[in-house]
């Protein structure tokens, strides 16, 4: 598929994102976040979602927790579902434009791994520290190396969604700890685009160090989708973070 133009990440991919995710069970994922919220929030809590994408989870969470704002730095992603009545703000998680505090902030599906440097991670955690209410909680998942190792040899898939087609080249550079997805997207009117997505696979301990540095506290770190302890061997871990009050 010849390339016509290189696009910013999650710009043209928005056409096919929900197709790309068809094997992901958003009900299970949402249930897990709701279970975490049940322990850490109340019905009246203020919720903020970071990197909400096409807002499929936000729509479901919003039915239980009405005070919710969904954010993402990709306007095309946030505009895919025009029917929902969510409060949405298009912004980077590294520069959150809010003056009020939140009780529950969440970020799902490897979105944290899009932050390329430890400096960016610290910036995020510092933003969270200033936006979290005293007893508030920030929960996010992070993809660890065991989730990437099967891609040390490049894998290629192709699919179609909603009149658009796409090819995905998926590979992991173990030395640089960078997981790359290259997408070639052909949209319904025949235009062709390329997006290169790079995700940094941080070491398990890095999260603990940087969270502490930003004045936050790891309350729990679960093995993904469970309430058992996570470890460096986990494929995905789920952090539950609070403010460090001492
Ligand atoms: C894998 S998608 C996950 C989307 C959504 N959470 C879901 O579960 O479908 C990653 C999302 O992160 C967003 N993203 C990446 N870096 C970001 C940043 N610095 N600030 C805000 N959003 C970001 C992308 O636009 C994209 O929507």
């Amino acid at each position: 598929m010849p390339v016509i133009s290189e696009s910013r990440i999650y710009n043209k991919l928005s056409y096919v994102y929900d197709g790309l995710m068809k094997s992901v069970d958003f009900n299970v994922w949402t249930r897990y976040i709701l279970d975490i919220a049940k322990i850490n929030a109340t019905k009246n809590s203020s919720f903020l979602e970071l990197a909400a994408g096409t807002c499929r989870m936000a729509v479901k969470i919003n039915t239980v927790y009405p005070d919710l704002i969904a954010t993402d730095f990709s306007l095309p992603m946030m505009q895919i579902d025009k029917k929902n009545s969510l409060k949405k703000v298009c912004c980077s998680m590294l520069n959150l434009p809010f003056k009020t505090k939140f009780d529950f902030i969440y970020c799902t599906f490897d979105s944290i791994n899009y932050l390329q440097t430890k400096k960016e991670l610290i910036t995020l955690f510092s933003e969270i520290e200033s936006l979290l209410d005293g007893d508030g909680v920030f929960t996010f998942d992070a993809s660890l190396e065991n989730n990437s190792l099967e891609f040390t040899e490049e894998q290629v898939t192709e699919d179609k969604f909603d009149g658009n087609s796409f090819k995905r080249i998926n590979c992991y550079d173990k030395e640089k700890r960078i997981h790359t997805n290259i997408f070639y997207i052909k949209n319904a009117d025949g235009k062709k685009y390329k997006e290169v997505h790079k995700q940094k696979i941080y070491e398990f301990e890095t999260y603990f160090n940087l969270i502490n540095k930003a004045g936050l506290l790891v309350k729990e770190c679960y093995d993904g989708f469970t309430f058992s302890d996570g470890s460096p061997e986990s494929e995905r871990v789920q952090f539950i973070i609070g403010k460090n009050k001492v």
Side-chain angles (χ1 to χ4, degrees):
M1 197 185 279
V3 174
I4 289 199
S5 52
E6 188 129 354
S7 131
R8 189 176 176 220
I9 64 163
Y10 288 101
N11 186 345
K12 304 303 177 187
L13 193 72
S14 60
Y15 300 142
V16 296
Y17 182 76
D18 287 336
L20 185 69
M21 294 299 140
K22 68 181 178 207
S23 58
V24 175
D25 192 334
F26 272 94
N27 289 328
V28 169
W29 210 314
T30 305
R31 189 71 260 154
Y32 185 50
I33 299 300
L34 284 172
D35 286 345
I36 292 171
K38 210 175 201 174
I39 303 166
N40 293 290
T42 67
K43 295 278 173 213
N44 298 325
S45 295
S46 48
F47 275 52
L48 178 70
E49 179 166 354
L50 310 180
T54 55
C55 298
R56 284 170 67 183
M57 187 178 289
V59 165
K60 292 178 199 288
I61 303 246
N62 196 218
T63 62
V64 185
Y65 297 99
D67 184 2
L68 181 147
I69 300 175
T71 67
D72 196 284
F73 77 171
S74 164
L75 187 60
M77 287 288 278
M78 298 202 91
Q79 286 177 331
I80 284 289
D81 177 5
K82 295 197 168 63
K83 293 186 302 294
N84 67 58
S85 54
L86 285 172
K87 283 186 214 149
K88 298 183 203 173
V89 176
C90 184
C91 61
S92 168
M93 63 174 108
L94 298 178
N95 191 8
L96 294 163
F98 301 102
K99 296 229 170 357
T100 53
K101 308 253 181 202
F102 294 89
D103 300 309
F104 192 88
I105 305 178
Y106 66 104
C107 181
T108 62
F109 207 167
D110 308 346
S111 300
I112 291 286
N113 296 91
Y114 276 95
L115 302 183
Q116 301 293 316
T117 60
K118 290 182 185 172
K119 198 170 163 218
E120 286 190 337
L121 272 185
I122 279 272
T123 301
L124 168 69
F125 295 137
S126 304
E127 287 281 282
I128 297 294
E129 206 282 328
S130 59
L131 277 183
L132 214 49
D133 196 54
D135 293 319
V137 153
F138 171 47
T139 185
F140 68 94
D141 62 82
S143 186
L144 300 185
E145 191 163 56
N146 277 345
N147 204 20
S148 287
L149 289 177
E150 68 170 299
F151 298 99
T152 46
E153 285 202 11
E154 189 175 287
Q155 293 187 22
V156 181
T157 48
E158 291 187 60
D159 209 344
K160 291 194 170 85
F161 180 70
D162 219 10
N164 310 285
S165 59
F166 61 93
K167 176 176 170 183
R168 173 190 196 172
I169 303 173
N170 193 339
C171 61
Y172 178 58
D173 182 332
K174 190 168 162 44
E175 214 163 287
K176 294 187 178 143
R177 299 184 74 99
I178 297 281
H179 195 132
T180 304
N181 276 284
I182 303 172
F183 295 98
Y184 294 92
I185 304 131
K186 185 176 171 191
N187 74 10
D189 62 15
K191 293 211 176 95
K192 293 164 189 154
Y193 302 96
K194 177 184 182 184
E195 286 190 15
V196 179
H197 292 221
K198 290 193 180 293
Q199 288 174 286
K200 180 82 182 169
I201 307 303
Y202 295 98
E203 297 198 21
F204 181 68
E205 293 75 17
T206 299
Y207 290 102
F208 290 83
N209 294 338
L210 301 184
I211 287 164
N212 287 340
K213 260 194 190 155
L216 296 166
L217 189 74
V218 178
K219 295 171 90 159
E220 304 287 351
C221 175
Y222 300 127
D223 191 48
F225 304 111
T226 76
F227 287 92
S228 312
D229 285 344
S231 79
E233 278 67 52
S234 300
E235 292 192 354
R236 183 187 303 279
V237 281
Q238 184 78 32
F239 282 94
I240 316 288
I241 312 291
K243 283 200 168 204
N244 191 346
K245 292 183 185 160
V246 287

